[in-house]
Amino acid sequence: SQQGEEDPQALSIQEGENATMNCSYKTSINNLQWYRQNSGRGLVHLILIRSNEREKHSGRLRVTLDTSKKSSSLLITASRAADTASYFCATKKYSDDYKLSFGAGTTVTVRA
Amino acid sequence: NAGVMQNPRHLVRRRGQEARLRCSPMKGHSHVYWYRQLPEEGLKFMVYLQKENIIDESGMPKERFSAEFPKEGPSILRIQQVVRGDSAAYFCASSPAVQGATRGEQFFGPGTRLTVL
């Protein structure tokens, strides 16, 4: 079964607005990662947050992690047309040494 | 330093043919992972290999699918007697030994898009 579930499935915003998407998961994790996938392309690693961290920033990205609620959020501030892509969360469980479990993704469209 | 390389990028096969997908990990990486992505879905883990060893193939169908990572050369994902349901994007990822693998840092290739006619 899928470990991560993203919400919403799709998001459309105006350039300059912020985009927020959420990820919920089911079991304890070692870390949670966010990836971006442009249409028809491979995955680009955005940010990794460990289970003992609550918030992390990278440029215009802000990730939070709430292990008590088993959820994470990704915020993209001041969005640009180039941010149009699908965003996936992926979790690595304690019991697994290596597997990443992906959600179905959030498709973000940034309108110019 | 080149990233993970996959070829071909696009592959078209007729039902019953064989598909061979190749993956060259990043330089210095000895761990390779294969994932499959069906349309409108996330990636699903298939198999994890180290040089000359299959560590975990729990996500790979028992029949028609096989993977290898020889001492020399790229990792190969082989699908025999393809069916339409095999149409998907197949991604390879790699990680360095030990710490990279346990932290879950994986670097992804651009994928091979397989279309079965």
Side-chain angles (χ1 to χ4, degrees):
Chain A
S1 63
Q2 219 152 258
Q3 164 75 326
E5 298 280 347
E6 285 94 342
D7 165 57
Q9 287 187 322
L11 184 60
S12 180
I13 55 174
Q14 202 70 34
E15 204 167 23
E17 293 180 337
N18 296 343
T20 300
M21 60 210 87
N22 305 295
C23 169
S24 59
Y25 56 92
K26 295 174 183 153
T27 64
S28 295
I29 60 170
N30 175 273
N31 66 54
L32 185 145
Q33 305 175 44
W34 285 90
Y35 287 83
R36 184 185 73 222
Q37 183 180 36
N38 291 88
S39 180
R41 303 287 193 93
L43 277 77
V44 174
H45 185 268
L46 295 176
I47 198 163
L48 180 154
I49 186 166
R50 294 187 171 78
S51 59
N52 61 353
E53 297 176 311
R54 291 297 164 256
E55 189 171 310
K56 206 159 182 182
H57 296 255
S58 176
R60 293 184 297 111
L61 305 179
R62 174 177 167 256
V63 168
T64 63
L65 180 64
D66 187 335
T67 52
S68 67
K69 294 180 179 176
K70 291 187 170 58
S71 69
S72 172
S73 68
L74 170 67
L75 168 67
I76 306 172
T77 60
S79 62
R80 305 166 182 168
D83 296 327
T84 295
S86 292
Y87 292 82
F88 296 90
C89 69
T91 54
K92 193 180 90 66
K93 295 191 281 187
Y94 279 110
S95 60
D96 289 334
D97 211 12
Y98 42 80
K99 283 181 200 172
L100 291 179
S101 298
F102 286 83
T106 293
T107 300
V108 175
T109 303
V110 180
R111 305 185 306 273
Chain B
N1 186 13
V4 178
M5 298 175 69
Q6 290 187 249
N7 67 82
R9 295 291 305 276
H10 299 274
L11 182 61
V12 179
R13 285 287 177 266
R14 295 190 182 281
R15 280 179 296 169
Q17 291 185 319
E18 178 180 286
R20 278 187 181 238
L21 289 62
R22 287 177 290 278
C23 168
S24 295
M26 285 180 71
K27 189 176 181 181
H29 287 192
S30 56
H31 298 231
V32 166
Y33 317 79
W34 285 93
Y35 292 82
R36 177 165 65 177
Q37 184 181 33
L38 295 171
E40 310 301 324
E41 294 188 11
L43 278 69
K44 299 287 194 296
F45 168 81
M46 297 181 74
V47 61
Y48 163 46
L49 310 102
Q50 294 177 20
K51 283 283 187 182
E52 300 184 277
N53 284 307
I54 297 174
I55 307 302
D56 183 346
E57 55 183 349
S58 60
M60 203 150 69
K62 296 285 185 278
E63 296 179 355
R64 302 188 297 107
F65 284 72
S66 62
E68 62 176 10
F69 188 17
K71 188 176 180 181
E72 302 290 338
S75 175
I76 306 285
L77 179 68
R78 183 182 176 206
I79 311 172
Q80 295 178 290
Q81 299 175 318
V82 296
V83 301
R84 288 218 174 105
D86 297 332
S87 294
Y90 292 83
F91 290 94
C92 167
S94 73
S95 68
V98 189
Q99 288 189 346
T102 55
R103 282 203 298 263
E105 291 168 332
Q106 298 177 14
F107 298 84
F108 282 81
T112 293
R113 274 149 189 86
L114 172 66
T115 302
V116 180
L117 302 177

